[in-house]
Amino acid sequence: MGPQSSGKSTLLNNLFQTDFREMDAFKGRSQTTKGIWMARCVGIEPCTIVMDLEGTDGRERGEDDTTFEKQSALFALAISDIVLINMWCHDIGREQAANKPLLKTVFQVMMRLFSPRKTTLLFVIRDKTRTPLENLEPVLREDIQKIWDAVPKPEAHKETPLSEFFNVEVVALSSFEEKEEQFREQVANLRSRFFHSIAPGGLAGDRRGVIPASGFSFSAEQIWKIIKENKDLDLPAHKVMVATVRCDEIANERYASFVANEEWHELEETVQSESVPGFGKKLSSILHDGLSQYDAEATFFDEGVRTAKRKLLEEKLLQLVQPAYNLMLGHIRHGILDKFKIAFESALNDGKGFAAAARDSTEHFMSQFDEESAATEIEQASWDSSKVREKLRRDIDAHVAAAREAKLSELTTMYEKKLNDAISAPVEALLDEASEDTWPSIKKLLQRETEKAVTGFYSALAGFEIDDITKDKMLASLEGYAKVLVETKAKEEAGRVLIRMKDRFLTLFSQDKDSMPRLWTGNEDIRAITKTARSSSLKLLAVMAVVRLDDDVDNVDNTLSLALMDPKPAASNNKSGSVDPLASSTWDKVPPSRTLLTPVQCKSLWRQFKTETEYTVSQAIAAQEANMRGNNWLPPPWAIAALLILGFNEFMTLLRNPLYVGVIFIGFLLVKALWAQLDISREFQNGFLPGILSVSMKFLPTVVNLLKKLAEEGQKQTTTGPQQNHPNPPRSSTSNYSNTSSSASSEVTSSENGDKYNSTGHQKVQ
């Protein structure tokens, strides 16, 4: 910056090899540079931007229009590290020199910058005369100090020295028009000072609040906008604003770059369906690359803003990848749980104790989860996998609890089945016998089998490491099951007690002591047999009425015997006013829980039992009477005496005429044969009338059959007689008749068995 037509553009073009427009001296002195122009210095490192400002004190803008001068000066001071002030050598020491208004402007606008950084003011003395620079520089610095002291300052900077705001440097150059060669040499020397100007001790050594190159365009635009609005320029706030905007842009670019990353896409897609080995390292590497690129681009921006935006970017990226991380933990959890189930089941199958297998398997696979989840952790995140670990532990504990319950249930069922097999059939057999020793035998059986099952069950529970209280409850439950099993079986048998009673009665009534079927011949005491069979059946009823697994004594047997087997005393008691002992729903001294059949039910069952067995007794009595009738065919004694008295004459006649005796004998043989053929005794066993009907139907065919056989036998004797030449004389007629009769008798006897079957068959049909 400097007065108009002071050679600013020429100096810049020679110093930085730019191509700013220069004034043509042959056309006159006028304004050449309008506004602010920028260009990049050629051949200077690091990258340096130079600005050519419109000259001050120009007639084109007029004397009163100093607004742009102030705006451009403020803009230059706000964005520049080095300000070159171009001034004529002959103006040094003058009170009204052209550079004084410029310096006042610079110092005034400097006050509008809040917390400004230190700017280098490089005074370039143009068209140096013979006066040495050592003499010119003190005068110039004195003038500069006077101007600084005269500039009004805010309270905070009233005592602030000039050196707090500016580094003042002075350099002198020869006239470009008169001593061009020397001018160029001096400019070359000055140019060398701009190499590595930002290094410590360089022209632009103070880099506080510097704007990085990537934010320079935006920063300059915003600064100029604020200056145009005639607002005070707060450079630190502006620096934060620029850093915020640029860091946001960089962060968004890095986020978009991460989202479009192919490696991330592949990782995200794979983890949707399966576990990815090295997930944590891969994802951490991708995140590290993205954040490193952000750090590289935002390294020169405000540290607070840069750090805050980096944290936001990191949070956004972690928020993006967290679902994949959670999926990965889910895959690990499911995989570990499946492995645990297999290993746990295998350990149980190998015979390992349940509690030891559960404990060892749980510890092993929880450690494996910790290892795999640690390999899944992302370096940039501080996520805690404890919730997933707790979920896995809950799943494992739930599986162990379910397995324990299933195993205990299976174990309990196995021992209950053993008890069922060991108790049910013997209890049923003992109840079927129903004797005095039935319930004591059942009690001994129950105790023996229960102790055996409880001992085995106790040993089996040792591997589960169950607490004593629970173990005692389970053992008590098994003991209770055995008792309930006996009671249930007793209830089942009590429901069939009537059938059992009838079966026992029929067995004892129809069979003798040798278990042979009884034949009711007439010598049996049916009443005594009936009483014995009923007493035994009543004993069965008494045994089945009450469960007797305790040591308590009851009088159910006596009560039933007195009430049902001895009705006379009971009847007499009823007449005397006493109550029927069976007219109740409970037994004396027997709790309802032990009652299988109430007194009322027993009375009803006994009544039904007697009704259904009376027919059997009546049939036995009828059979006995029929048998007695069938075996007694003799007439009564009085009839025999009458026959002897009244038939005396006929008897004497038979004695006087022996021929009648032969006829009677032959008739006897014929009657005897008919008797055997008709099986008269068997026919009349079923009664007189059925016997008469059966005999009358078979009589004529039997007589015809008998006569036919006699005729065939006689014809056979006639045919075989002439063919035999016996030396003996023919037998007498009496002898022949005797042979014939013998043959007939023999024939009748031989055919008796064959015809008897037919007679019996006919009887069955009748």
Side-chain angles (χ1 to χ4, degrees):
M1 58 194 305
Q4 182 175 304
S5 302
S6 60
K8 297 185 302 298
S9 300
T10 302
L11 174 61
L12 294 178
N13 289 338
N14 284 275
L15 183 60
F16 300 112
Q17 299 180 9
T18 54
D19 56 355
F20 292 121
R21 182 181 175 188
E22 298 179 8
M23 182 188 71
D24 188 356
F26 295 100
K27 293 183 178 180
R29 305 183 70 85
S30 61
Q31 186 182 52
T32 304
T33 302
K34 294 182 180 181
I36 301 173
W37 293 77
M38 291 186 182
R40 179 178 178 180
C41 299
V42 178
I44 294 180
E45 294 294 337
C47 176
T48 304
I49 301 297
V50 62
M51 292 190 303
D52 188 10
L53 270 60
E54 179 180 327
T56 60
D57 196 21
R59 64 180 178 86
E60 284 79 5
R61 289 195 178 269
E63 182 179 353
D64 298 327
D65 190 4
T66 60
T67 302
F68 184 74
E69 291 181 9
K70 293 181 180 180
Q71 290 176 346
S72 61
L74 181 58
F75 181 71
L77 289 173
I79 68 174
S80 300
D81 295 301
I82 304 169
V83 178
L84 282 74
I85 299 177
N86 207 30
M87 62 183 303
W88 300 110
C89 181
H90 54 260
D91 284 338
I92 297 175
R94 293 181 180 179
E95 185 64 28
Q96 300 298 325
N99 63 332
K100 284 191 176 183
L102 176 60
L103 288 176
K104 288 181 181 180
T105 301
V106 169
F107 294 155
Q108 288 174 356
V109 299
M110 197 67 180
M111 294 296 101
R112 296 178 58 186
L113 300 177
F114 293 94
S115 301
R117 60 191 172 124
K118 214 169 188 180
T119 304
T120 299
L121 293 181
L122 180 57
F123 288 88
V124 182
I125 301 174
R126 301 293 299 275
D127 297 347
K128 177 180 174 296
T129 61
R130 293 180 180 180
T131 304
L133 180 61
E134 292 79 4
N135 296 331
L136 294 175
E137 184 174 353
V139 177
L140 179 59
R141 287 182 179 274
E142 185 180 353
D143 292 341
I144 295 172
Q145 185 64 45
K146 288 181 180 180
I147 298 172
W148 171 257
D149 294 338
V151 172
K153 304 178 187 67
E155 289 294 330
H157 296 291
K158 278 189 176 294
E159 303 297 331
T160 303
L162 176 66
S163 59
E164 288 290 326
F165 289 92
F166 300 101
N167 288 324
V168 179
E169 297 286 341
V170 180
V171 65
L173 298 177
S174 301
S175 174
F176 174 72
E177 295 180 353
E178 297 177 358
K179 301 176 181 179
E180 185 174 353
E181 293 289 337
Q182 190 176 359
F183 174 81
R184 293 187 184 279
E185 291 178 3
Q186 293 171 348
V187 169
N189 293 332
L190 179 60
R191 175 182 172 86
S192 63
R193 298 184 64 181
F194 285 90
F195 285 95
H196 305 291
S197 59
I198 62 175
L203 286 178
D206 186 1
R207 300 286 288 174
R208 291 178 298 172
V210 70
I211 299 297
S214 60
F216 177 76
S217 175
F218 176 77
S219 175
E221 182 180 359
Q222 294 299 316
I223 288 175
W224 183 251
K225 181 179 179 182
I226 294 174
I227 292 174
K228 289 288 289 182
E229 293 175 356
N230 198 23
K231 294 180 180 179
D232 290 338
L233 186 59
D234 189 349
L235 286 183
H238 173 76
K239 182 183 74 170
V240 171
M241 183 269 295
V242 173
T244 302
V245 173
R246 281 298 299 146
C247 289
D248 274 337
E249 293 176 354
I250 297 172
N252 292 334
E253 291 172 2
R254 292 303 97 212
Y255 182 82
S257 176
F258 181 89
V259 171
N261 188 290
E262 290 295 333
E263 188 177 359
W264 156 245
H265 275 296
E266 181 179 354
L267 195 65
E268 183 183 28
E269 185 176 352
T270 305
V271 82
Q272 297 294 328
S273 57
E274 61 183 0
S275 179
V276 179
F279 176 85
K281 290 184 178 179
K282 292 179 180 179
L283 191 53
S284 297
S285 177
I286 300 173
L287 289 171
H288 176 73
D289 292 343
L291 294 174
S292 297
Q293 293 175 6
Y294 170 85
D295 292 337
E297 294 185 32
T299 184
F300 295 109
F301 288 102
D302 181 77
E303 182 179 1
V305 176
R306 181 179 73 241
T307 304
K309 295 301 178 182
R310 188 187 192 279
K311 186 176 180 180
L312 290 176
L313 172 62
E314 187 174 347
E315 290 177 355
K316 287 180 64 178
L317 292 176
L318 292 178
Q319 187 177 3
L320 176 65
V321 303
Q322 190 170 18
Y325 172 79
N326 292 335
L327 283 174
M328 186 63 192
L329 286 181
H331 291 315
I332 294 175
R333 181 177 66 83
H334 288 298
I336 294 294
L337 183 61
D338 293 340
K339 292 178 183 178
F340 169 83
K341 291 178 180 178
I342 296 173
F344 180 56
E345 190 67 25
S346 177
L348 293 179
N349 293 336
D350 292 341
K352 195 172 184 179
F354 185 93
R359 183 172 53 253
D360 295 344
S361 299
T362 300
E363 291 177 356
H364 172 72
F365 285 99
M366 289 305 295
S367 299
Q368 186 173 346
F369 174 82
D370 293 337
E371 294 175 1
E372 295 188 16
S373 62
T376 309
E377 290 180 357
I378 300 171
E379 297 177 1
Q380 294 79 8
S382 57
W383 293 329
D384 186 9
S385 60
S386 59
K387 291 185 178 180
V388 181
R389 190 182 193 279
E390 292 174 0
K391 179 68 168 61
L392 173 62
R393 185 58 185 263
R394 289 196 300 271
D395 292 341
I396 289 177
D397 291 343
H399 178 74
V400 170
R404 179 187 289 108
E405 184 177 355
K407 290 293 182 182
L408 289 176
S409 177
E410 181 181 344
L411 196 63
T412 303
T413 302
M414 181 181 70
Y415 278 94
E416 287 178 352
K417 186 176 184 302
K418 287 183 178 180
L419 281 174
N420 193 11
D421 296 339
I423 292 178
S424 294
V427 167
E428 183 176 353
L430 290 172
L431 290 175
D432 190 26
E433 293 178 1
S435 63
E436 294 289 342
D437 297 331
T438 295
W439 282 107
S441 299
I442 292 175
K443 185 178 179 180
K444 291 180 180 179
L445 172 69
L446 176 62
Q447 291 177 349
R448 183 178 67 252
E449 297 298 332
T450 301
E451 289 178 0
K452 186 189 299 183
V454 167
T455 302
F457 192 49
Y458 182 85
S459 300
L461 291 177
F464 289 87
E465 297 181 5
I466 303 175
D467 60 276
D468 294 338
I469 297 177
T470 304
K471 187 182 295 184
D472 293 341
K473 287 182 179 179
M474 297 183 70
L475 295 176
S477 176
L478 185 63
E479 293 176 354
Y481 174 81
K483 187 175 181 180
V484 170
L485 182 64
V486 173
E487 294 176 353
T488 303
K489 197 64 183 178
K491 289 179 181 179
E492 292 178 1
E493 295 302 318
R496 297 192 291 266
V497 66
L498 181 60
I499 299 175
R500 298 278 188 185
M501 291 170 63
K502 290 191 294 183
D503 290 343
R504 174 171 287 195
F505 176 83
L506 291 176
T507 299
L508 295 176
F509 186 79
S510 302
Q511 296 180 0
D512 57 17
K513 61 181 179 179
D514 297 327
S515 299
M516 298 298 294
R518 292 185 187 274
L519 297 177
W520 304 107
T521 60
N523 298 325
E524 296 82 5
D525 187 355
I526 294 180
R527 182 179 297 277
I529 294 172
T530 301
K531 185 175 181 180
T532 302
R534 284 180 176 175
S535 298
S536 181
S537 298
L538 184 63
K539 183 64 179 178
L540 175 63
L541 180 62
V543 169
M544 297 299 301
V546 176
V547 176
R548 299 177 177 88
L549 295 178
D550 300 327
D551 296 332
D552 299 337
V553 180
D554 60 74
N555 57 353
V556 175
D557 194 0
N558 295 332
T559 302
L560 289 176
S561 297
L562 292 174
L564 301 178
M565 291 300 296
D566 299 327
K568 291 182 180 179
S572 63
N573 290 336
N574 289 338
K575 289 180 180 179
S576 63
S578 61
V579 181
D580 184 2
L582 299 182
S584 174
S585 60
T586 58
W587 297 102
D588 187 23
K589 299 180 181 180
V590 178
S593 60
R594 290 174 46 205
T595 302
L596 298 177
L597 297 171
T598 63
V600 175
Q601 290 174 332
C602 289
K603 187 174 183 179
S604 176
L605 287 171
W606 183 255
R607 186 183 299 113
Q608 186 177 355
F609 164 75
K610 289 184 66 176
T611 301
E612 295 182 6
T613 56
E614 282 178 356
Y615 177 75
T616 302
V617 176
S618 63
Q619 285 290 96
I621 294 173
Q624 190 181 53
E625 292 175 353
N627 194 4
M628 292 174 63
R629 287 194 303 269
N631 293 331
N632 189 13
W633 293 99
L634 292 176
W638 60 268
I640 295 175
L643 286 174
L644 291 175
I645 295 173
L646 297 176
F648 181 77
N649 294 331
E650 286 77 5
F651 180 71
M652 295 303 295
T653 301
L654 291 175
L655 292 177
R656 294 188 189 100
N657 192 354
L659 182 61
Y660 287 159
V661 176
V663 173
I664 291 172
F665 180 71
I666 293 172
F668 173 74
L669 293 177
L670 291 175
V671 171
K672 182 67 175 178
L674 288 173
W675 186 278
Q677 285 283 68
L678 293 175
D679 196 6
I680 298 300
S681 60
R682 184 178 182 84
E683 295 294 341
F684 280 90
Q685 283 182 354
N686 296 324
F688 180 77
L689 183 60
I692 291 295
L693 292 175
S694 178
V695 169
S696 63
M697 293 179 65
K698 294 192 298 181
F699 180 78
L700 185 60
T702 303
V703 172
V704 171
N705 187 29
L706 183 61
L707 293 177
K708 186 185 295 185
K709 287 183 178 181
L710 290 173
E712 290 177 353
E713 187 66 23
Q715 186 178 359
K716 183 177 180 182
Q717 292 292 336
T718 304
T719 304
T720 58
Q723 297 177 356
Q724 297 177 353
N725 297 320
H726 298 286
N728 298 329
R731 297 179 181 179
S732 63
S733 60
T734 305
S735 176
N736 289 337
Y737 175 76
S738 177
N739 292 335
T740 304
S741 299
S742 298
S743 299
S745 177
S746 175
E747 188 72 17
V748 169
T749 303
S750 65
S751 63
E752 179 179 355
N753 295 331
D755 292 339
K756 187 175 182 180
Y757 175 80
N758 293 334
S759 175
T760 304
H762 182 72
Q763 181 185 6
K764 290 179 180 180
V765 173
Q766 290 296 338

